[in-house]
Amino acid sequence: MSFNEYSATKSTKNVLGGVYDVTVNGTYFLYSEGRRSGTLNCGNILYQGQSVKAFVIGVNEPVAKFRGQVVAIAKDRLEEQEDVWILAPERTILYEPRLISLLDKYLPADRYKYVCYYEKSCGAVMYTQSEGVRKFILITNISGHIGFPKGHIEIGEDEKQTALREVYEETGVKTHLIDGFRESYNYLINGFIKKKAVYYLAPFDEKDIKMNIMEISEYRLVTFEEALSILNFKHDRDILTKANEFIDTL
């Protein structure tokens, strides 16, 4: 089972974002970049008559009991170890890179994969202008979605670094981001995982495009009007419209 399939299962959908009681039986200190960054309370949850292993983060002191929200499920890549539920105070937004940096000692990233309640991707609306004609890059990913270059934030990156890396990995273009433009929207994956997409604006030269077939299936270089007719979703069309209007002001 792929992780996308796993995240779509009914059991995962019922758990992620849910609020549960944890009985704590151990506490450890967390460290990030050599400094203490928090407290890890470990315990169990009684779920459907079975005991489930749980880690609690976002609480700065040892506790005996905790009631909080499941922000991730750590899944053993080899399917040899039981799942571990990660809980935090309600409405605490934690993305996978942060979880890895905090929990890698206990849940090594080479062994565990997180299915997270919150996800974030960053990318860029890419444009070029030649002989008075403005064009944009649209990419088709392996799932068939047509949109802008983007991808998940990795450990140690900020939003802009992720956007530039993803642009390069998917199109081969080394570029820069235009100051003053940042747009985002939120949507649901599989109907329950909360995803945030953040976009910047980046110029490029058509001769620099070197599509990575391992990342995407194809790209299109199209005018604004063509792009509006091709994009799958309204929020992408809205981002494109704002980007096109912003370019007019430069």
Side-chain angles (χ1 to χ4, degrees):
M1 177 184 293
S2 72
F3 287 111
N4 282 338
E5 291 171 333
Y6 177 76
S7 70
T9 62
K10 183 178 180 180
S11 60
T12 307
K13 183 175 182 178
N14 289 342
V15 170
L16 279 180
V19 176
Y20 297 89
D21 294 310
V22 181
T23 299
V24 176
N25 52 38
T27 302
Y28 305 91
F29 294 128
L30 297 174
Y31 292 86
S32 179
E33 299 179 353
R35 295 181 297 177
R36 182 177 169 184
S37 57
T39 302
L40 176 66
N41 288 284
C42 307
N44 298 90
I45 294 170
L46 185 63
Y47 178 69
Q48 296 183 346
Q50 295 185 336
S51 179
V52 178
K53 187 174 182 179
F55 286 175
V56 175
I57 57 179
V59 179
N60 292 326
E61 65 278 338
V63 295
K65 297 281 187 179
F66 176 79
R67 182 172 178 82
Q69 187 175 46
V70 179
V71 295
I73 298 175
K75 178 78 173 176
D76 180 18
R77 297 177 187 272
L78 302 179
E79 299 185 357
E80 295 175 351
Q81 301 294 325
E82 63 180 316
D83 293 352
V84 181
W85 295 8
I86 315 299
L87 289 87
E90 291 185 59
R91 294 179 292 278
T92 300
I93 297 177
L94 290 165
Y95 299 114
E96 185 177 30
R98 180 60 175 162
L99 295 174
I100 292 175
S101 68
L102 290 174
L103 300 175
D104 191 56
K105 178 180 177 180
Y106 307 95
L107 300 170
D110 61 350
R111 182 64 186 266
Y112 286 89
K113 172 70 175 179
Y114 293 97
V115 180
C116 298
Y117 187 51
Y118 298 99
E119 291 190 4
K120 181 194 280 189
S121 289
C122 301
V125 179
M126 300 177 63
Y127 75 96
T128 188
Q129 198 118 354
S130 178
E131 298 180 352
V133 178
R134 182 181 302 160
K135 292 187 176 182
F136 299 86
I137 286 182
L138 298 184
I139 65 168
T140 305
N141 62 27
I142 57 177
S143 70
H145 171 258
I146 301 172
F148 312 111
K150 78 174 190 302
H152 289 91
I153 289 182
E154 294 184 355
I155 294 176
E157 292 182 336
D158 60 24
E159 291 180 352
K160 292 182 177 181
Q161 290 170 327
T162 298
L164 289 171
R165 175 181 55 76
E166 288 293 337
V167 162
Y168 177 71
E169 289 181 356
E170 295 188 351
T171 69
V173 174
K174 291 185 177 180
T175 184
H176 66 278
L177 304 179
I178 302 295
D179 290 337
F181 185 90
R182 179 190 179 277
E183 295 290 337
S184 66
Y185 58 81
N186 299 297
Y187 62 102
L188 296 178
I189 299 175
N190 294 328
F192 68 102
I193 293 176
K194 297 187 176 184
K195 180 72 172 279
K196 186 180 188 69
V198 178
Y199 289 103
Y200 293 90
L201 184 63
F204 73 96
D205 191 315
E206 185 175 352
K207 65 178 176 54
D208 294 331
I209 299 175
K210 298 175 183 177
M211 187 186 75
N212 186 342
I213 61 173
M214 299 299 292
E215 294 280 340
I216 60 177
S217 61
E218 67 173 338
Y219 82 92
R220 310 179 194 203
L221 190 58
V222 294
T223 65
F224 171 69
E225 290 76 14
E226 290 170 332
L228 283 180
S229 68
I230 293 172
L231 287 167
N232 296 126
F233 299 112
K234 181 181 182 300
H235 43 236
D236 285 331
R237 295 192 290 271
D238 290 342
I239 294 282
L240 177 68
T241 299
K242 292 177 180 179
N244 192 58
E245 292 173 349
F246 188 89
I247 297 169
D248 287 338
T249 69
L250 297 178

